[in-house]
Coordinates of all heavy atoms in Angstrom, one line a residue:
M1 N -60.4 22.7 -10.0 CA -59.2 22.5 -9.2 C -58.5 21.3 -9.8 O -59.1 20.3 -10.1 CB -59.5 22.2 -7.8 CG -58.3 22.1 -6.9 SD -58.8 22.3 -5.2 CE -57.8 21.1 -4.5
R2 N -57.2 21.4 -10.0 CA -56.4 20.3 -10.5 C -56.1 19.2 -9.5 O -56.0 19.5 -8.3 CB -55.1 20.8 -11.1 CG -55.3 21.7 -12.3 CD -54.0 22.1 -12.8 NE -54.1 23.0 -13.9 CZ -53.2 23.7 -14.4 NH1 -52.0 23.6 -14.0 NH2 -53.4 24.5 -15.4
N3 N -55.9 18.0 -10.0 CA -55.5 16.9 -9.1 C -54.0 17.1 -8.6 O -53.2 17.6 -9.4 CB -55.6 15.6 -10.0 CG -55.3 14.4 -9.2 OD1 -54.5 14.3 -8.3 ND2 -56.1 13.4 -9.5
V4 N -53.8 16.8 -7.4 CA -52.4 16.9 -6.8 C -51.4 16.2 -7.6 O -50.2 16.6 -7.6 CB -52.4 16.5 -5.3 CG1 -52.5 15.0 -5.2 CG2 -51.2 17.0 -4.6
N5 N -51.7 15.2 -8.3 CA -50.8 14.4 -9.1 C -50.2 15.2 -10.3 O -49.2 14.9 -10.9 CB -51.4 13.1 -9.6 CG -51.7 12.2 -8.5 OD1 -50.9 12.1 -7.6 ND2 -52.8 11.5 -8.6
S6 N -50.9 16.3 -10.7 CA -50.4 17.1 -11.8 C -49.3 18.1 -11.4 O -48.8 18.8 -12.2 CB -51.5 17.9 -12.4 OG -52.1 18.8 -11.5
Y7 N -48.9 18.1 -10.1 CA -47.9 19.1 -9.6 C -46.7 18.3 -9.1 O -46.8 17.3 -8.5 CB -48.5 19.9 -8.4 CG -49.6 20.8 -8.9 CD1 -50.9 20.4 -8.6 CD2 -49.4 22.0 -9.5 CE1 -52.0 21.2 -9.0 CE2 -50.5 22.8 -9.9 CZ -51.8 22.4 -9.7 OH -52.8 23.2 -10.1
K8 N -45.5 18.9 -9.3 CA -44.3 18.3 -8.8 C -43.9 19.0 -7.5 O -43.5 18.3 -6.5 CB -43.2 18.6 -9.8 CG -41.8 18.1 -9.3 CD -40.7 18.5 -10.3 CE -39.4 18.1 -9.8 NZ -38.3 18.5 -10.6
R9 N -44.1 20.3 -7.4 CA -43.8 21.1 -6.2 C -45.1 21.7 -5.7 O -45.8 22.3 -6.4 CB -42.8 22.1 -6.5 CG -42.4 23.0 -5.3 CD -41.3 24.0 -5.6 NE -40.1 23.4 -6.1 CZ -39.4 23.7 -7.1 NH1 -39.8 24.7 -7.9 NH2 -38.3 23.1 -7.4
I10 N -45.2 21.6 -4.3 CA -46.4 22.2 -3.7 C -45.9 23.1 -2.6 O -45.1 22.7 -1.7 CB -47.3 21.1 -3.1 CG1 -47.8 20.2 -4.3 CG2 -48.5 21.7 -2.3 CD1 -48.6 19.0 -3.9
V11 N -46.4 24.3 -2.6 CA -46.1 25.3 -1.6 C -47.3 25.5 -0.7 O -48.5 25.7 -1.2 CB -45.8 26.7 -2.2 CG1 -45.5 27.7 -1.1 CG2 -44.6 26.6 -3.2
I12 N -47.1 25.3 0.6 CA -48.2 25.4 1.6 C -47.9 26.7 2.4 O -46.9 26.8 3.1 CB -48.2 24.2 2.5 CG1 -48.5 22.9 1.6 CG2 -49.3 24.3 3.6 CD1 -48.3 21.6 2.4
K13 N -48.8 27.6 2.4 CA -48.7 28.8 3.2 C -49.6 28.7 4.4 O -50.8 28.4 4.2 CB -49.1 30.0 2.3 CG -49.4 31.3 3.1 CD -48.1 31.8 3.8 CE -48.3 33.2 4.3 NZ -48.8 33.3 5.7
V14 N -49.1 28.8 5.6 CA -49.8 28.7 6.8 C -49.7 30.0 7.5 O -48.7 30.4 7.9 CB -49.3 27.5 7.7 CG1 -50.2 27.3 8.9 CG2 -49.1 26.2 6.9
G15 N -50.9 30.6 7.7 CA -50.9 31.9 8.3 C -51.0 31.9 9.8 O -51.3 30.9 10.4
S16 N -50.8 33.1 10.4 CA -50.8 33.2 11.9 C -52.1 32.8 12.5 O -52.2 32.2 13.5 CB -50.5 34.7 12.2 OG -49.3 35.1 11.8
A17 N -53.2 33.2 11.8 CA -54.6 32.9 12.4 C -54.8 31.4 12.4 O -55.6 30.9 13.2 CB -55.6 33.5 11.5
V18 N -54.1 30.6 11.6 CA -54.3 29.1 11.6 C -53.4 28.5 12.7 O -53.8 27.6 13.4 CB -53.9 28.6 10.2 CG1 -53.9 27.0 10.2 CG2 -54.9 29.0 9.2
L19 N -52.1 29.0 12.8 CA -51.2 28.5 13.7 C -51.3 28.8 15.2 O -51.0 28.0 16.0 CB -49.7 28.8 13.2 CG -49.2 28.1 12.1 CD1 -47.8 28.6 11.7 CD2 -49.1 26.6 12.4
A20 N -51.7 30.0 15.4 CA -51.8 30.5 16.8 C -53.2 31.0 17.1 O -53.9 31.6 16.3 CB -50.8 31.7 17.0
N21 N -53.6 30.7 18.4 CA -54.9 31.2 18.8 C -54.8 32.6 19.3 O -53.7 33.2 19.3 CB -55.5 30.2 19.8 CG -54.8 30.2 21.1 OD1 -54.0 31.1 21.5 ND2 -55.0 29.1 21.9
S22 N -55.8 33.2 19.7 CA -55.8 34.6 20.1 C -54.9 34.9 21.4 O -54.5 36.0 21.6 CB -57.2 35.1 20.4 OG -57.8 34.4 21.5
N23 N -54.6 33.8 22.1 CA -53.7 34.0 23.3 C -52.2 33.7 22.9 O -51.4 33.7 23.8 CB -54.1 33.0 24.4 CG -55.5 33.2 24.9 OD1 -55.9 34.4 25.0 ND2 -56.2 32.2 25.3
G24 N -51.9 33.5 21.6 CA -50.6 33.3 21.2 C -50.0 32.0 21.5 O -48.8 31.8 21.7
I25 N -50.9 31.0 21.5 CA -50.5 29.6 21.8 C -50.7 28.8 20.5 O -51.6 29.0 19.7 CB -51.4 29.0 22.9 CG1 -51.1 29.8 24.2 CG2 -51.1 27.5 23.1 CD1 -52.1 29.4 25.3
V26 N -49.7 27.9 20.2 CA -49.7 27.1 19.0 C -50.9 26.2 19.0 O -51.2 25.5 20.0 CB -48.4 26.3 18.9 CG1 -48.5 25.3 17.7 CG2 -47.2 27.2 18.8
N27 N -51.6 26.2 17.9 CA -52.7 25.2 17.7 C -52.1 23.9 17.3 O -51.9 23.6 16.1 CB -53.7 25.8 16.6 CG -54.9 24.9 16.6 OD1 -54.9 23.8 16.8 ND2 -56.0 25.6 16.1
Q28 N -51.9 23.0 18.3 CA -51.2 21.8 18.1 C -52.0 20.8 17.1 O -51.4 20.1 16.3 CB -50.9 21.1 19.4 CG -50.1 21.9 20.4 CD -48.6 22.0 19.9 OE1 -48.1 21.3 19.1 NE2 -47.9 23.0 20.5
S29 N -53.3 20.8 17.3 CA -54.1 19.9 16.4 C -54.0 20.3 14.9 O -53.9 19.4 14.1 CB -55.5 19.8 16.9 OG -56.1 21.0 16.8
I30 N -54.0 21.5 14.7 CA -53.9 22.0 13.3 C -52.5 21.7 12.7 O -52.3 21.1 11.6 CB -54.1 23.5 13.2 CG1 -55.6 23.8 13.4 CG2 -53.7 24.1 11.8 CD1 -56.6 23.4 12.4
L31 N -51.5 21.9 13.5 CA -50.1 21.6 13.1 C -49.9 20.1 12.9 O -49.2 19.7 11.9 CB -49.1 22.2 14.2 CG -47.8 22.6 13.7 CD1 -47.9 23.6 12.5 CD2 -47.0 23.2 14.8
A32 N -50.5 19.3 13.7 CA -50.4 17.9 13.5 C -51.1 17.4 12.2 O -50.5 16.6 11.5 CB -51.1 17.2 14.7
A33 N -52.2 18.0 11.9 CA -53.0 17.6 10.7 C -52.2 18.1 9.5 O -52.1 17.3 8.5 CB -54.3 18.3 10.7
I34 N -51.6 19.3 9.5 CA -50.8 19.8 8.4 C -49.6 18.9 8.2 O -49.2 18.6 7.0 CB -50.4 21.3 8.6 CG1 -51.7 22.1 8.5 CG2 -49.4 21.7 7.5 CD1 -51.4 23.6 9.0
S35 N -49.0 18.5 9.3 CA -47.8 17.7 9.2 C -48.1 16.3 8.6 O -47.3 15.8 7.8 CB -47.2 17.5 10.6 OG -46.7 18.8 11.1
E36 N -49.2 15.8 8.9 CA -49.7 14.5 8.4 C -49.9 14.7 6.9 O -49.5 13.8 6.1 CB -51.0 14.0 9.1 CG -51.4 12.7 8.7 CD -52.6 12.2 9.5 OE1 -52.9 12.7 10.5 OE2 -53.2 11.2 9.0
D37 N -50.5 15.8 6.5 CA -50.7 16.0 5.0 C -49.4 16.2 4.3 O -49.2 15.7 3.2 CB -51.5 17.3 4.8 CG -53.0 17.1 5.2 OD1 -53.4 16.0 5.4 OD2 -53.6 18.1 5.4
I38 N -48.4 16.8 4.9 CA -47.1 17.0 4.3 C -46.4 15.6 4.1 O -45.8 15.3 3.1 CB -46.2 17.9 5.2 CG1 -46.7 19.3 5.1 CG2 -44.7 17.8 4.7 CD1 -46.1 20.2 6.2
A39 N -46.5 14.8 5.1 CA -46.0 13.4 5.0 C -46.6 12.6 3.9 O -45.9 11.9 3.1 CB -46.2 12.6 6.3
W40 N -47.9 12.8 3.7 CA -48.6 12.1 2.6 C -48.1 12.6 1.3 O -47.9 11.8 0.4 CB -50.1 12.4 2.8 CG -50.9 11.7 1.7 CD1 -51.4 10.4 1.7 CD2 -51.4 12.4 0.5 NE1 -52.1 10.2 0.5 CE2 -52.2 11.4 -0.2 CE3 -51.3 13.7 0.0 CZ2 -52.8 11.7 -1.4 CZ3 -52.0 13.9 -1.2 CH2 -52.7 13.0 -1.9
L41 N -47.9 13.9 1.1 CA -47.4 14.5 -0.1 C -46.0 14.0 -0.4 O -45.7 13.7 -1.6 CB -47.4 16.0 0.0 CG -48.8 16.7 -0.1 CD1 -48.8 18.1 0.3 CD2 -49.4 16.5 -1.5
L42 N -45.2 14.0 0.6 CA -43.8 13.5 0.4 C -43.8 12.0 -0.1 O -43.0 11.6 -0.9 CB -43.0 13.7 1.7 CG -42.7 15.1 2.0 CD1 -42.0 15.2 3.4 CD2 -41.8 15.8 1.0
K43 N -44.7 11.2 0.5 CA -44.8 9.8 0.0 C -45.2 9.7 -1.4 O -44.9 8.7 -2.1 CB -45.8 9.0 0.9 CG -45.2 8.7 2.3 CD -46.1 7.9 3.1 CE -45.5 7.7 4.5 NZ -46.5 7.1 5.4
K44 N -45.9 10.7 -1.9 CA -46.3 10.8 -3.3 C -45.2 11.4 -4.2 O -45.4 11.8 -5.3 CB -47.6 11.7 -3.5 CG -48.8 11.1 -2.8 CD -49.5 10.1 -3.7 CE -50.8 9.7 -3.1 NZ -51.4 8.6 -3.9
N45 N -44.0 11.6 -3.6 CA -42.8 12.1 -4.3 C -43.0 13.6 -4.7 O -42.5 14.0 -5.8 CB -42.4 11.3 -5.5 CG -41.9 9.9 -5.0 OD1 -41.1 9.8 -4.0 ND2 -42.3 8.9 -5.7
K46 N -43.7 14.4 -3.9 CA -43.9 15.8 -4.2 C -42.8 16.6 -3.4 O -42.5 16.2 -2.3 CB -45.3 16.3 -3.8 CG -46.4 15.5 -4.4 CD -46.4 15.6 -5.9 CE -47.5 14.8 -6.6 NZ -47.3 14.8 -8.0
E47 N -42.4 17.6 -4.0 CA -41.5 18.6 -3.3 C -42.5 19.5 -2.5 O -43.4 20.0 -3.1 CB -40.7 19.4 -4.3 CG -39.7 18.7 -5.0 CD -38.9 19.6 -6.0 OE1 -38.8 20.8 -5.7 OE2 -38.5 19.1 -7.0
V48 N -42.2 19.7 -1.2 CA -43.1 20.4 -0.4 C -42.3 21.6 0.2 O -41.3 21.4 0.9 CB -43.8 19.6 0.7 CG1 -44.7 20.4 1.6 CG2 -44.5 18.4 0.1
L49 N -42.8 22.8 0.0 CA -42.3 24.0 0.7 C -43.3 24.6 1.6 O -44.5 24.7 1.2 CB -41.9 25.0 -0.4 CG -40.9 24.6 -1.4 CD1 -40.9 25.5 -2.6 CD2 -39.5 24.5 -0.8
I50 N -42.9 24.9 2.8 CA -43.8 25.5 3.8 C -43.4 26.9 4.0 O -42.2 27.3 4.2 CB -43.6 24.8 5.2 CG1 -43.7 23.2 5.0 CG2 -44.6 25.3 6.2 CD1 -45.0 22.8 4.5
V51 N -44.4 27.8 3.9 CA -44.2 29.2 4.2 C -45.1 29.4 5.4 O -46.3 29.3 5.4 CB -44.7 30.1 3.0 CG1 -44.6 31.6 3.4 CG2 -43.9 29.8 1.8
S52 N -44.4 29.7 6.5 CA -45.1 29.7 7.8 C -45.1 31.1 8.5 O -44.0 31.6 8.8 CB -44.5 28.7 8.7 OG -45.2 28.7 10.0
S53 N -46.2 31.7 8.7 CA -46.3 32.9 9.5 C -46.5 32.4 10.9 O -46.5 31.2 11.2 CB -47.5 33.7 9.1 OG -47.4 34.2 7.8
G54 N -46.7 33.3 11.8 CA -47.0 33.0 13.2 C -46.0 33.4 14.2 O -46.3 33.4 15.4
A55 N -44.8 33.8 13.8 CA -43.7 34.1 14.8 C -44.1 35.3 15.6 O -44.0 35.3 16.9 CB -42.4 34.4 14.1
I56 N -44.7 36.4 15.0 CA -45.1 37.6 15.8 C -46.2 37.2 16.7 O -46.2 37.6 17.9 CB -45.5 38.7 14.9 CG1 -44.2 39.2 14.2 CG2 -46.1 39.9 15.7 CD1 -44.4 40.3 13.1
A57 N -47.2 36.5 16.2 CA -48.4 36.1 17.1 C -47.9 35.3 18.3 O -48.4 35.5 19.4 CB -49.4 35.3 16.2
L58 N -47.0 34.4 18.1 CA -46.5 33.6 19.2 C -45.6 34.4 20.1 O -45.6 34.2 21.3 CB -45.7 32.4 18.7 CG -46.5 31.4 17.9 CD1 -45.6 30.3 17.3 CD2 -47.6 30.8 18.7
G59 N -44.9 35.3 19.6 CA -44.0 36.2 20.4 C -44.8 37.1 21.3 O -44.4 37.5 22.4
R60 N -46.0 37.5 20.9 CA -46.9 38.3 21.7 C -47.3 37.7 23.0 O -47.6 38.4 24.0 CB -48.2 38.6 20.9 CG -48.0 39.7 19.9 CD -49.4 40.1 19.4 NE -49.3 41.1 18.4 CZ -49.3 42.4 18.6 NH1 -49.3 42.8 19.9 NH2 -49.2 43.3 17.6
K61 N -47.2 36.4 23.1 CA -47.6 35.7 24.3 C -46.6 36.1 25.5 O -47.1 36.2 26.6 CB -47.5 34.2 24.1 CG -47.8 33.3 25.3 CD -47.9 31.9 25.0 CE -46.5 31.4 24.5 NZ -46.5 29.9 24.3
K62 N -45.4 36.2 25.2 CA -44.4 36.5 26.2 C -44.0 38.0 26.4 O -43.6 38.4 27.4 CB -43.1 35.7 25.9 CG -43.2 34.3 25.8 CD -43.4 33.7 27.2 CE -43.4 32.2 27.1 NZ -43.5 31.5 28.4
I63 N -44.2 38.7 25.3 CA -43.8 40.2 25.3 C -45.1 41.0 25.1 O -45.6 40.9 24.0 CB -42.7 40.5 24.2 CG1 -41.5 39.6 24.4 CG2 -42.4 42.0 24.3 CD1 -40.5 39.7 23.3
K64 N -45.5 41.7 26.1 CA -46.7 42.5 26.0 C -46.4 43.8 25.4 O -45.7 44.6 26.1 CB -47.4 42.6 27.4 CG -47.6 41.3 28.1 CD -48.6 40.4 27.3 CE -48.9 39.1 28.0 NZ -49.4 38.1 27.2
L65 N -46.9 44.1 24.2 CA -46.8 45.4 23.6 C -48.2 45.8 23.1 O -49.1 45.0 23.0 CB -45.8 45.3 22.4 CG -44.4 45.0 22.8 CD1 -43.5 44.8 21.5 CD2 -43.8 46.1 23.6
S66 N -48.3 47.1 22.7 CA -49.6 47.6 22.1 C -49.8 46.9 20.8 O -49.0 46.3 20.2 CB -49.5 49.1 22.0 OG -48.6 49.4 20.9
D67 N -51.1 47.0 20.3 CA -51.4 46.4 19.0 C -50.7 47.1 17.9 O -50.5 46.5 16.8 CB -52.9 46.5 18.8 CG -53.7 45.5 19.7 OD1 -53.0 44.5 20.2 OD2 -54.9 45.7 20.0
S68 N -50.4 48.4 18.0 CA -49.7 49.2 17.0 C -48.2 49.1 17.2 O -47.7 49.7 18.2 CB -50.2 50.6 17.0 OG -49.5 51.4 16.1
L69 N -47.5 48.3 16.4 CA -46.1 48.0 16.6 C -45.2 48.8 15.7 O -45.6 49.0 14.6 CB -45.9 46.5 16.4 CG -46.6 45.5 17.3 CD1 -46.3 44.1 16.8 CD2 -46.3 45.7 18.7
T70 N -44.1 49.2 16.3 CA -43.1 49.8 15.4 C -42.3 48.6 14.7 O -42.5 47.4 15.1 CB -42.0 50.5 16.2 OG1 -41.3 49.6 17.1 CG2 -42.7 51.6 17.1
L71 N -41.5 48.9 13.7 CA -40.8 47.9 13.1 C -39.9 47.1 14.1 O -39.8 45.9 14.0 CB -39.9 48.5 11.9 CG -39.0 47.5 11.2 CD1 -39.8 46.4 10.6 CD2 -38.2 48.2 10.2
A72 N -39.2 47.8 14.9 CA -38.3 47.2 15.9 C -39.1 46.3 16.9 O -38.6 45.2 17.2 CB -37.6 48.3 16.7
E73 N -40.3 46.7 17.3 CA -41.1 45.9 18.1 C -41.6 44.6 17.4 O -41.5 43.5 18.0 CB -42.3 46.6 18.6 CG -41.9 47.7 19.6 CD -43.1 48.7 19.9 OE1 -44.0 48.8 19.1 OE2 -43.1 49.3 21.0
S74 N -42.0 44.7 16.1 CA -42.4 43.6 15.3 C -41.2 42.6 15.2 O -41.4 41.4 15.3 CB -42.8 44.0 13.9 OG -44.0 44.7 14.0
Q75 N -40.0 43.1 15.0 CA -38.8 42.3 14.8 C -38.5 41.6 16.1 O -38.1 40.4 16.1 CB -37.6 43.1 14.4 CG -37.8 43.6 12.9 CD -36.7 44.5 12.5 OE1 -36.2 45.3 13.3 NE2 -36.4 44.5 11.2
A76 N -38.7 42.3 17.3 CA -38.4 41.6 18.6 C -39.4 40.5 18.8 O -39.0 39.4 19.3 CB -38.5 42.7 19.7
L77 N -40.7 40.7 18.5 CA -41.7 39.7 18.7 C -41.4 38.5 17.8 O -41.5 37.3 18.2 CB -43.1 40.2 18.5 CG -43.6 41.2 19.5 CD1 -45.0 41.8 19.0 CD2 -43.7 40.6 20.9
A78 N -41.1 38.8 16.6 CA -40.8 37.7 15.6 C -39.6 36.9 16.0 O -39.6 35.7 15.9 CB -40.6 38.3 14.2
A79 N -38.5 37.6 16.5 CA -37.3 36.8 16.9 C -37.7 35.9 18.1 O -37.2 34.7 18.1 CB -36.3 37.8 17.3
H80 N -38.5 36.4 19.0 CA -38.8 35.6 20.2 C -39.8 34.4 19.8 O -39.6 33.3 20.1 CB -39.5 36.4 21.2 CG -39.8 35.7 22.5 ND1 -38.8 35.3 23.4 CD2 -41.0 35.2 23.0 CE1 -39.4 34.6 24.4 NE2 -40.7 34.6 24.1
G81 N -40.8 34.7 18.9 CA -41.8 33.7 18.5 C -41.2 32.7 17.6 O -41.7 31.6 17.5
Q82 N -40.2 33.1 16.8 CA -39.6 32.1 15.8 C -39.1 30.9 16.5 O -39.2 29.8 15.9 CB -38.5 32.8 15.1 CG -37.9 32.0 13.9 CD -38.9 31.9 12.8 OE1 -39.9 32.7 12.6 NE2 -38.8 30.9 12.0
I83 N -38.5 31.0 17.7 CA -38.0 29.8 18.4 C -39.2 28.8 18.7 O -39.1 27.6 18.4 CB -37.3 30.3 19.7 CG1 -36.1 31.1 19.4 CG2 -36.9 29.0 20.6 CD1 -35.6 31.9 20.6
E84 N -40.3 29.3 19.2 CA -41.4 28.5 19.5 C -42.0 27.9 18.3 O -42.4 26.7 18.2 CB -42.4 29.3 20.3 CG -43.6 28.4 20.8 CD -44.5 29.1 21.8 OE1 -44.2 30.2 22.2 OE2 -45.5 28.5 22.1
L85 N -42.1 28.7 17.2 CA -42.7 28.3 16.0 C -41.9 27.1 15.4 O -42.5 26.1 15.0 CB -42.7 29.5 15.0 CG -43.3 29.2 13.6 CD1 -44.7 28.7 13.7 CD2 -43.2 30.4 12.7
M86 N -40.6 27.3 15.3 CA -39.8 26.2 14.7 C -39.8 24.9 15.6 O -39.8 23.8 15.1 CB -38.3 26.7 14.5 CG -38.2 27.7 13.3 SD -38.5 27.0 11.7 CE -40.3 27.2 11.5
S87 N -39.8 25.1 16.9 CA -39.9 24.0 17.8 C -41.2 23.2 17.6 O -41.2 22.0 17.6 CB -39.8 24.5 19.3 OG -38.6 25.0 19.5
A88 N -42.3 23.9 17.4 CA -43.6 23.3 17.1 C -43.6 22.5 15.8 O -44.0 21.4 15.7 CB -44.7 24.3 17.1
W89 N -43.1 23.1 14.7 CA -43.0 22.4 13.5 C -42.1 21.2 13.6 O -42.4 20.1 13.1 CB -42.4 23.3 12.4 CG -43.4 24.2 11.7 CD1 -43.5 25.6 11.7 CD2 -44.5 23.8 10.8 NE1 -44.5 26.0 11.0 CE2 -45.1 25.0 10.4 CE3 -44.9 22.6 10.4 CZ2 -46.2 24.9 9.6 CZ3 -46.0 22.5 9.5 CH2 -46.7 23.7 9.1
K90 N -40.9 21.4 14.3 CA -40.0 20.2 14.4 C -40.7 19.1 15.2 O -40.6 17.9 14.8 CB -38.8 20.7 15.2 CG -37.7 19.6 15.3 CD -36.4 20.1 15.9 CE -35.4 19.0 16.0 NZ -34.2 19.5 16.5
K91 N -41.4 19.4 16.3 CA -42.1 18.4 17.1 C -43.0 17.5 16.2 O -43.0 16.3 16.3 CB -42.9 19.1 18.2 CG -43.8 18.1 19.0 CD -44.6 19.0 19.9 CE -45.8 18.1 20.5 NZ -46.7 18.9 21.3
H92 N -43.8 18.2 15.4 CA -44.8 17.5 14.6 C -44.2 16.8 13.4 O -44.6 15.7 13.0 CB -45.9 18.4 14.2 CG -46.8 18.8 15.3 ND1 -47.7 18.0 15.9 CD2 -46.8 19.9 16.1 CE1 -48.3 18.5 16.9 NE2 -47.8 19.7 17.1
L93 N -43.3 17.4 12.7 CA -42.7 16.8 11.5 C -41.7 15.6 11.9 O -41.6 14.7 11.1 CB -42.0 17.8 10.7 CG -42.9 18.8 10.0 CD1 -42.2 20.0 9.3 CD2 -43.8 18.1 9.0
N94 N -41.1 15.7 13.1 CA -40.3 14.6 13.5 C -41.0 13.3 13.6 O -40.5 12.2 13.5 CB -39.6 14.9 14.9 CG -38.3 15.7 14.7 OD1 -37.8 15.8 13.6 ND2 -37.8 16.2 15.8
K95 N -42.3 13.4 13.9 CA -43.1 12.1 14.0 C -43.1 11.3 12.7 O -43.4 10.2 12.7 CB -44.6 12.5 14.4 CG -44.7 13.1 15.8 CD -46.1 13.5 16.1 CE -46.2 14.2 17.5 NZ -47.5 14.8 17.7
F96 N -42.9 12.1 11.6 CA -42.8 11.4 10.3 C -41.4 11.4 9.7 O -41.2 11.1 8.5 CB -43.7 12.2 9.3 CG -45.2 12.3 9.8 CD1 -45.6 13.4 10.5 CD2 -46.0 11.2 9.6 CE1 -46.9 13.5 10.9 CE2 -47.3 11.3 10.0 CZ -47.8 12.4 10.7
S97 N -40.4 11.6 10.6 CA -39.0 11.7 10.2 C -38.7 12.6 9.1 O -37.9 12.4 8.2 CB -38.5 10.3 9.8 OG -38.7 9.3 10.9
I98 N -39.4 13.8 9.2 CA -39.2 14.9 8.2 C -38.4 15.9 8.8 O -38.8 16.5 9.8 CB -40.6 15.5 7.7 CG1 -41.5 14.4 7.1 CG2 -40.4 16.6 6.8 CD1 -42.9 14.8 6.9
P99 N -37.2 16.2 8.3 CA -36.3 17.2 8.8 C -36.8 18.6 8.5 O -37.5 18.8 7.4 CB -35.0 16.9 8.2 CG -35.3 16.3 6.9 CD -36.6 15.5 7.1
I100 N -36.5 19.6 9.3 CA -36.8 21.0 9.0 C -35.6 21.7 8.9 O -34.5 21.4 9.3 CB -37.8 21.6 10.1 CG1 -37.1 21.7 11.4 CG2 -39.1 20.9 10.2 CD1 -37.8 22.6 12.4

């Protein structure tokens, strides 16, 4: 594995299983830890890109549908969950004055 100093841009992919628990609730402690790591990377003058899943998992909390989703149902859950997902990222990244 290479040293982080050898990279200019770092892409962090955070999946649904990391961000949301089985009840569709944001895992705040994980998001806080990732946000702290992002702040550290930015202080090292790294470009950081976040690819975040989780919108559908979070949307499932409010909209009860079967496990087998149609495209339209997936889109509805994602649209609903995206609001909570971005609010959670904003809450944690704001602690480090990092805009989203």
